[in-house]
Amino acid sequence: MFNNMIIGRYMPGNSWIHRLDARVKLMLSVFFVLAVFIANSVVGYIIAIVFAALVIQLTGLGVRVFAKGLQPLMWLMLFTVGLQILFIKTGHVWFQWGFLSITSDGLTNGVAIFVRFTLIIFFSTVLTLTTPPLGVADALEVLMQPLKVIKVPVDDLALMVSIALRFVPTLMDEAETIMNAQRARGVEFNEGSIVKRVRAYVPLLIPLFVNAIKRAIELGDAMEARGYRGGTQRTKYRVLTWHTQDTVAMLGFLAFALVLILVRVMGW
């Protein structure tokens, strides 16, 4: 299960998306989440799917990589879709059993929610797969500079995001290692009732938390030994630079958003 978790992992490459400025990718990821909710028809969703597929193709990583990252979240997505299908009462009733019913509006909303979840996860994964964690942190720090006016600790927030993106994949790998060690001792994680399966995962938490706390202490000591201090006086080895391709990416997304708005306004 944890091997499929690719959110937060960085895969080096030299694709067109890899070469984009981290600020552009971060902004477009946020804007895409907002744009997905503009789509409210079949045509709108098809346009969003085609745009996401084009972006995935430009990463050079292939759809299978992104589909693999979708697997750990599939049960949550299906649970949300199930709630939409069973508890929306409007529209033509296809099936009725007690207070549960399946209606045409429920099915429509369920499919829409599933498509939105998938697109948002895919596009968010594009950001982390093609951008180093430090690049994401630097982009976030630059874009949040206006918040310093109201005394928001922008530098500390950017550092926390960088550390989280860097160590989430490491924690997932450690969890997989611990699971394999317990499987070698006869522990079964995929057998028995739901309660038994949940209890089987409980022993993972203690060594995982211990390792996480130990790594946090070591990281803090290393930063202190190197004289780390947050603030505007720090210089950067990698400087974010805006190129022509970044402008092209912004214009391309703007065209995509305008098409979605046009489709919604025209009722297509």
Side-chain angles (χ1 to χ4, degrees):
M1 179 182 70
F2 295 106
N3 284 334
N4 294 330
M5 187 70 71
I6 64 173
I7 296 179
R9 297 181 186 271
Y10 169 62
M11 294 187 177
N14 193 37
S15 68
W16 192 78
I17 299 295
H18 279 83
R19 295 194 300 271
L20 286 177
D21 191 288
R23 293 168 293 181
V24 174
K25 288 184 278 189
L26 182 59
M27 287 189 293
L28 294 186
S29 296
V30 175
F31 294 156
F32 183 81
V33 173
L34 300 176
V36 165
F37 289 92
I38 296 177
N40 64 343
S41 64
V42 175
V43 175
Y45 287 124
I46 291 176
I47 293 173
I49 292 172
V50 171
F51 181 79
L54 175 62
V55 172
I56 291 173
Q57 184 66 28
L58 291 175
T59 63
L61 298 176
V63 179
R64 289 186 178 182
V65 175
F66 294 87
K68 183 180 179 181
L70 193 66
Q71 293 176 10
L73 301 173
M74 185 61 67
W75 287 110
L76 176 62
M77 294 169 60
L78 294 178
F79 176 74
T80 306
V81 170
L83 292 179
Q84 293 288 323
I85 293 176
L86 295 177
F87 291 98
I88 292 182
K89 305 297 183 181
T90 58
H92 179 74
V93 178
W94 296 103
F95 174 79
Q96 181 77 41
W97 186 64
F99 65 93
L100 300 177
S101 61
I102 298 178
T103 65
S104 56
D105 288 349
L107 289 173
T108 301
N109 288 338
V111 173
I113 290 294
F114 183 82
V115 172
R116 285 174 177 173
F117 261 122
T118 303
L119 290 175
I120 290 172
I121 292 172
F122 276 7
F123 219 84
S124 301
T125 307
V126 168
L127 172 66
T128 57
L129 287 180
T130 62
T131 313
L134 288 178
V136 177
D138 291 342
L140 184 64
E141 183 178 356
V142 172
L143 296 176
M144 292 177 64
Q145 287 300 316
L147 296 179
K148 284 188 174 182
V149 177
I150 57 176
K151 307 299 182 181
V152 175
V154 173
D155 302 308
D156 294 336
L157 290 175
L159 177 63
M160 287 189 292
V161 171
S162 174
I163 293 174
L165 291 175
R166 170 60 184 84
F167 286 106
V168 164
T170 303
L171 291 176
M172 295 299 102
D173 292 339
E174 284 190 355
E176 188 68 28
T177 301
I178 296 172
M179 288 180 65
N180 291 335
Q182 294 193 3
R183 286 193 182 100
R185 293 173 173 83
V187 178
E188 296 293 341
F189 293 97
N190 298 320
E191 294 184 0
S193 63
I194 298 296
V195 175
K196 185 177 179 180
R197 294 184 184 183
V198 172
R199 288 179 178 175
Y201 281 97
V202 173
L204 290 175
L205 301 179
I206 296 177
L208 196 60
F209 278 127
V210 169
N211 290 339
I213 294 173
K214 181 180 178 181
R215 181 172 287 104
I217 294 173
E218 292 175 349
L219 179 62
D221 292 340
M223 293 173 64
E224 186 176 356
R226 288 166 174 80
Y228 173 83
R229 295 291 184 272
T232 56
Q233 302 302 318
R234 294 179 60 237
T235 59
K236 297 183 181 297
Y237 177 72
R238 296 178 180 85
V239 180
L240 298 177
T241 306
W242 192 281
H243 298 286
T244 303
Q245 62 187 17
D246 301 311
T247 303
V248 172
M250 294 294 291
L251 293 176
F253 182 85
L254 179 61
F256 160 70
L258 290 176
V259 170
L260 280 184
I261 293 173
L262 178 62
V263 170
R264 184 182 181 106
V265 171
M266 299 300 293
W268 295 342

